[in-house]
């Protein structure tokens, strides 16, 4: 079964195969620095005796590091609504800038993070990327206790949180090398789900942590992640491994950029994953500003639903086709956005809150379904001789779409800010999002489902 989770993993080639005359060892052989020279998960004897346990160990610590990355990436979504109460004088436009910038940075560094694994080694880069989380966590803890801080400095500190967004790409790349093709989809699914859950968990846990005792202690939002980031780095240093023989496959990216389906799917992924990360970032501030008496602690439910429905989207797409389920996800997103408009106009918190849960459901289902389309699209109509090149192009598409889609986390908060500044209401932004979802649904239908289209006869 193809993986239905976004991953930059295929951007790099698989480890070099051992010599045909050399028997595969049944025990793991490592050099100083925990470098593994022989790794062949497709060798059944090696996999059963040694490979599976080692791969699962690396997966566990990879999930933890990626989970923390998503937590740090989403930290400002929790902190921003509470900054005015801490003495910061910020306009709504400035608040949405602080929410949007981490997504902008995280999306931009995803492709460089992909190539870091072949360059430094998976274990080594997990150590480095975990330690990099100390920068945004420490900066946040320091800055939120100083209300006199200028907005430009606040914006720079928020940008540092983008380091957490890059962890997804490097983690998925690294884990792809450890598992055989038959188990890769499940492993990458677990890795991605573990990371995505960080967005909801941080919105659930951090508000409780900063409220312990008298007053609100915003600095704790950063402080709690300092020991956790150190723990992730130590865990990677002690129990993860580097694999030799892997290299960055720039050709897969070059092939993907020349294929129009890469850009079509990237456009669609802005609507699915971009909606998830964008709404997750904006939701706490939307609740705080539009319904001041509503319990802010409920905001985490949306991000949690978005993360948990992602595997569901992949499973349903496996049965009914990625294109059909992607269209259905855009229908759900459209309905959710229209309901949110009605909730704002009626000043109904229950309707607004419920509408956003629908939005998160549609985004989660669409995340899995859209990525399920990629291998099918690039495999369609390809001869056996051309299949290796098609797989390389699909691999590059997965990496590119994962990065491009994350820009939705920037566009959505900025859309809300521009609508409020220009029209005094969030409603115009939601109408723009509705138009985008309709356009995306029509694009999927026209390119992949419409009778008479080039790919209509394929199972996309």
């Amino acid at each position: 079964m193809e993986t239905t989770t976004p991953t930059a993993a295929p951007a790099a080639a698989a480890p070099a195969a051992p010599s045909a005359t050399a028997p595969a060892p049944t025990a793991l052989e490592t050099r100083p620095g925990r470098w593994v020279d022989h790794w062949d998960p497709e060798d059944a004897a090696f996999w059963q005796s040694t490979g599976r346990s080692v791969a699962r160990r690396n997966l566990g610590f990879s999930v933890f590091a990626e989970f923390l990355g998503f937590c740090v990436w989403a930290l400002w979504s929790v902190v921003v609504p509470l900054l005015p109460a801490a003495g910061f004088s910020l306009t709504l436009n400035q608040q949405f800038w602080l929410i949007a910038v981490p997504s902008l940075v995280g999306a931009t560094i995803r492709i460089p993070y992909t190539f870091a694994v072949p360059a430094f080694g998976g274990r080594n880069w997990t150590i480095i990327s975990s330690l990099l989380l100390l920068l945004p966590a420490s900066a946040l803890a320091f800055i939120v206790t100083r209300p006199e801080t200028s907005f430009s400095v606040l914006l720079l500190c928020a940008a540092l949180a983008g380091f957490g967004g890059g962890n997804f790409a490097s983690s998925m790349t690294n884990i792809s090398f450890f598992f055989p093709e038959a188990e890769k989809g499940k492993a990458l699914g677990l890795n991605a789900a573990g990371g995505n859950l960080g967005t909801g968990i941080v919105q659930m846990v951090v508000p409780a942590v900063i409220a312990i005792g008298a007053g609100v202690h915003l600095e704790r939002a950063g402080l709690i992640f300092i020991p956790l980031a150190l723990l992730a780095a130590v865990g990677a240093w002690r129990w993860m491994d580097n694999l030799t023989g892997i290299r960055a496959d720039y050709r897969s990216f070059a092939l993907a950029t020349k294929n129009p389906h890469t850009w079509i799917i990237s456009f669609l992924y802005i609507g699915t994953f971009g909606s998830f990360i964008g709404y997750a970032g904006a939701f706490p501030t939307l609740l705080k500003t539009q319904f001041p008496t509503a319990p802010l602690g409920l905001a985490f439910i949306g991000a949690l639903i978005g993360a948990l429905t992602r595997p569901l989207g992949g499973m349903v797409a496996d049965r009914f086709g990625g294109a059909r389920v992607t269209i259905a996800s855009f229908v759900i997103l459209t309905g959710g956005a229209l309901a949110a408009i009605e909730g704002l106009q009626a000043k109904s918190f229950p309707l607004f809150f419920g509408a956003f849960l629908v939005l998160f459901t549609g985004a989660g289902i669409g995340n899995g379904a859209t990525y399920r389309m990629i291998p099918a699209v690039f495999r369609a109509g390809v001869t056996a001789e051309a299949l290796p090149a098609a797989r390389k192009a699909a691999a590059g598409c997965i990496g590119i779409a994962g990065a491009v889609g994350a820009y939705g986390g920037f566009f959505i908060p900025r859309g809300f800010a521009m609508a409020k500044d220009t029209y005094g209401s969030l409603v115009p932004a939601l109408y723009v999002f509705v138009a985008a979802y309709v356009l995306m649904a029509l694009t999927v239908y026209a390119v992949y489902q419409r009778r008479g289209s080039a790919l209509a006869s394929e199972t996309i």
Side-chain angles (χ1 to χ4, degrees):
M1 182 178 68
E2 301 285 355
T3 177
T4 58
T5 55
T7 169
S19 169
T21 59
T26 57
L28 193 67
E29 299 176 358
T30 62
R31 290 187 287 108
R34 296 190 68 92
W35 285 95
V36 180
D37 291 324
H38 170 84
W39 186 261
D40 185 9
E42 301 298 342
D43 182 320
F46 172 78
W47 181 248
Q48 293 295 331
S49 65
T50 304
R52 177 180 280 120
S53 62
V54 174
R56 287 178 175 176
R57 186 183 71 230
N58 279 269
L59 173 62
F61 285 97
S62 175
V63 167
F64 180 58
E66 186 191 344
F67 170 81
L68 290 182
F70 264 85
C71 286
V72 171
W73 199 20
L75 261 182
W76 283 82
S77 73
V78 182
V79 170
V80 166
L82 302 174
L83 286 175
F88 289 84
S89 179
L90 298 170
T91 66
L92 185 62
N93 181 48
Q94 289 175 324
Q95 290 181 52
F96 278 124
W97 267 115
L98 294 175
I99 294 167
V101 162
S103 290
L104 179 66
V105 175
T108 303
I109 66 174
R110 278 192 164 191
I111 289 180
Y113 264 53
T114 296
F115 294 123
V117 170
F120 295 93
R123 165 189 176 262
N124 293 347
W125 185 252
T126 303
I127 295 171
I128 294 170
S129 61
S130 296
L131 292 176
L132 284 174
L133 298 180
L134 295 175
L135 295 176
S138 301
L140 188 149
F142 177 80
I143 214 72
V144 295
T145 60
R146 290 161 173 77
E148 70 279 4
T149 302
S150 67
F151 174 68
S152 58
V153 174
L154 280 174
L155 200 62
L156 177 61
C157 291
L160 292 175
F163 283 128
N167 279 16
F168 176 86
S170 57
S171 179
M172 297 292 274
T173 300
N174 183 42
I175 291 305
S176 73
F177 295 127
F178 279 93
F179 286 83
E181 290 298 326
E183 299 186 33
K184 189 172 292 188
K186 180 181 178 181
L188 294 176
L190 289 171
N191 199 49
N196 285 183
L197 281 172
T199 305
I201 297 300
V202 77
Q203 292 182 348
M204 177 177 67
V205 173
V206 168
V209 170
I210 63 180
I212 295 174
V216 176
H217 305 274
L218 285 182
E219 69 277 6
R220 294 176 185 170
L223 291 175
I224 61 174
F225 287 99
I226 292 176
L228 291 174
L230 291 172
L231 181 62
V234 171
W237 171 78
R238 178 64 181 82
W239 287 289
M240 289 186 72
D241 301 286
N242 297 306
L243 301 180
T244 60
I246 62 174
R247 60 182 179 81
D249 189 356
Y250 299 100
R251 186 168 178 265
S252 67
F253 274 79
L255 288 171
T257 58
K258 298 174 184 177
N259 193 310
H261 290 293
T262 295
W263 305 111
I264 293 172
I265 291 171
S266 295
F267 170 62
L268 301 178
Y269 202 53
I270 293 175
T272 55
F273 180 73
S275 290
F276 166 71
I277 202 68
Y279 290 137
F283 196 31
T285 298
L286 292 176
L287 291 182
K288 184 71 172 178
T289 57
Q290 303 306 304
F291 301 93
T293 61
L296 188 60
L298 294 178
F300 80 92
I301 297 175
L304 199 61
I305 287 175
L308 294 176
T309 52
R310 180 176 194 143
L312 174 64
M315 290 186 288
V316 176
D318 280 340
R319 180 169 182 178
F320 297 102
R324 290 179 181 176
V325 179
T326 298
I327 291 173
S329 75
F330 286 127
V331 172
I332 295 171
L333 284 162
T334 299
L338 291 172
I341 291 170
E342 183 62 28
L344 284 172
Q345 293 176 335
K347 294 181 171 54
S348 170
F349 168 72
L351 179 56
F352 183 79
F353 186 79
F356 261 78
L357 297 190
V358 172
L359 283 168
F360 281 109
T361 301
I365 291 173
N367 284 342
T370 303
Y371 264 76
R372 171 62 179 81
M373 292 172 59
I374 295 175
V377 166
F378 282 83
R379 190 174 56 238
V382 173
T383 64
E385 293 76 14
L387 192 57
R391 285 175 175 163
K392 282 182 176 291
C397 175
I398 289 173
I400 292 169
V404 172
Y407 283 107
F410 174 80
F411 296 141
I412 285 179
R414 291 309 307 152
F416 282 130
M418 293 171 66
K420 187 68 175 177
D421 277 356
T422 305
Y423 301 101
S425 169
L426 302 175
V427 169
L430 286 164
Y431 274 123
V432 171
F433 301 155
V434 167
Y437 296 143
V438 171
L439 176 60
M440 290 170 178
L442 291 174
T443 300
V444 181
Y445 173 76
V447 178
Y448 303 114
Q449 291 285 289
R450 179 180 54 85
R451 184 175 300 176
S453 64
L455 296 176
S457 62
E458 303 287 344
T459 305
I460 303 299

